[in-house]
């Protein structure tokens, strides 16, 4: 198989998956991927997933890649909070939640970290677009609640204050009623109590 045919078929793919290559070209030989890596045409992300080496590494590429390499996941936690401008710190890993087991991958475009949530909590995300490709991103309300839930050592107002949330931005992009509605699904008194504190702070902001 010639590289030009491969390039034409997958040039617009942010992530190239071996399964899709083999589906498009049934007689494809995997050794071609090694040859093209040696020529610096493509780069392995993890096993079975590749990217174009001339594609700029951006936050959007990292988010899209995170969705692709670990299915049934969406961007949340620190990555979503930073994306929405809700925390002051930069985030150098890509954080997601998933119905699969907690896992992390070291990749050439950064570390991908996935935290397990039960299937009943897999909701509250929206589709953002990057080069007409879908990125599953937690809604701001859900990103906050996922963060509360997956940090069980957070117990009181001081822990929330330590987040240094940008309250004016939160009030602008999130709804207290949705936080309260979503919090009930966690069936966790600690999350409920902390979410009530957040709602109170939003009211006072």
């Amino acid at each position: 198989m010639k590289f030009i045919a491969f390039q034409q078929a997958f040039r617009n793919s942010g992530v190239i998956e071996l399964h899709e290559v083999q589906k498009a070209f049934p007689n494809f030989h995997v050794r071609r991927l090694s040859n093209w890596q040696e020529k610096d045409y493509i780069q392995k992300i993890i096993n079975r997933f590749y990217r174009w080496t001339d594609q700029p590494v951006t936050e959007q590429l990292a988010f899209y890649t995170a969705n692709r390499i670990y299915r049934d996941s969406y961007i949340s936690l620190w990555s979503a909070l930073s994306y929405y401008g809700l925390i002051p710190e930069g985030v150098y890993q890509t954080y997601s939640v998933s119905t699969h087991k907690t896992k992390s991958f070291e990749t050439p475009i950064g570390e991908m970290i996935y935290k397990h949530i039960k299937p009943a909590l897999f909701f509250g995300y929206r589709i953002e677009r990057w080069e007409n490709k879908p990125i599953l991103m937690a809604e701001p309300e859900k990103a906050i609640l996922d963060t509360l839930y997956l940090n069980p050592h957070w117990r009181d107002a001081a822990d929330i204050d330590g987040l240094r949330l940008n309250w004016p931005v939160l009030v602008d992009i999130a709804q207290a009623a949705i936080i309260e509605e979503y919090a009930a699904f966690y069936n966790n008194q600690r999350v409920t109590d902390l979410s009530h504190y957040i709602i109170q702070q939003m009211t006072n902001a």
Side-chain angles (χ1 to χ4, degrees):
M1 175 184 177
K2 293 184 178 180
F3 177 73
I4 188 65
F6 172 81
Q7 185 181 46
Q8 288 175 342
F10 294 100
R11 184 60 200 173
N12 294 324
S13 299
V15 175
I16 306 160
E17 187 173 352
L18 177 58
H19 171 74
E20 294 179 350
V21 176
Q22 293 173 324
K23 183 178 180 180
F25 302 100
N27 297 321
F28 180 79
H29 294 290
V30 177
R31 69 173 182 271
R32 291 290 188 187
L33 296 175
S34 297
N35 294 338
W36 295 336
Q37 286 180 80
E38 291 173 1
K39 293 180 179 180
D40 202 32
Y41 295 158
I42 60 173
Q43 182 182 47
K44 180 187 284 187
I45 301 171
I46 61 171
N47 286 341
R48 300 182 295 107
F49 293 89
Y50 301 82
R51 60 175 290 268
W52 300 105
T53 53
D54 61 354
Q55 187 173 45
V57 176
T58 63
E59 181 179 68
Q60 289 76 17
L61 172 63
F63 289 170
Y64 179 70
T65 301
N67 280 181
R68 288 290 302 275
I69 67 176
Y70 210 54
R71 302 288 185 171
D72 299 321
S73 69
Y74 60 84
I75 305 298
S76 189
L77 307 170
W78 312 112
S79 292
L81 296 179
S82 177
Y83 174 79
Y84 289 119
L86 292 174
I87 56 175
E89 297 84 6
V91 179
Y92 301 101
Q93 297 85 7
T94 300
Y95 287 88
S96 304
V97 298
S98 172
T99 55
H100 299 305
K101 66 180 181 180
T102 293
K103 196 174 182 65
S104 65
F105 300 97
E106 289 286 351
T107 82
I109 59 175
E111 185 178 11
M112 309 286 178
I113 299 172
Y114 302 84
K115 298 293 186 179
H116 170 75
I117 58 170
K118 54 190 177 183
L121 296 178
F122 196 83
F123 68 92
Y125 55 87
R126 61 178 58 153
I127 297 178
E128 301 286 348
R129 289 285 171 181
W130 168 67
E131 296 184 353
N132 205 34
K133 300 176 184 64
I135 296 174
L136 301 187
M137 171 71 64
E139 298 168 357
E141 299 91 347
K142 190 60 161 55
I144 287 173
L145 290 166
D146 285 344
T147 306
L148 299 181
Y149 180 66
L150 291 169
N151 285 278
H153 58 286
W154 291 358
R155 293 286 171 182
D156 53 32
D159 293 317
I160 301 302
D161 292 340
L163 265 174
R164 296 188 293 165
L165 286 171
N166 188 325
W167 295 108
V169 171
L170 181 61
V171 169
D172 186 53
I173 67 172
Q175 297 181 44
I178 292 178
I179 293 176
E180 185 171 21
E181 176 189 348
Y182 284 2
F185 286 89
Y186 289 81
N187 194 27
N188 183 299
Q189 190 61 49
R190 182 184 59 83
V191 170
T192 298
D193 292 343
L194 292 177
S195 66
H196 285 167
Y197 176 72
I198 289 174
I199 292 170
Q200 181 184 34
Q201 295 302 106
M202 291 174 67
T203 303
N204 297 333

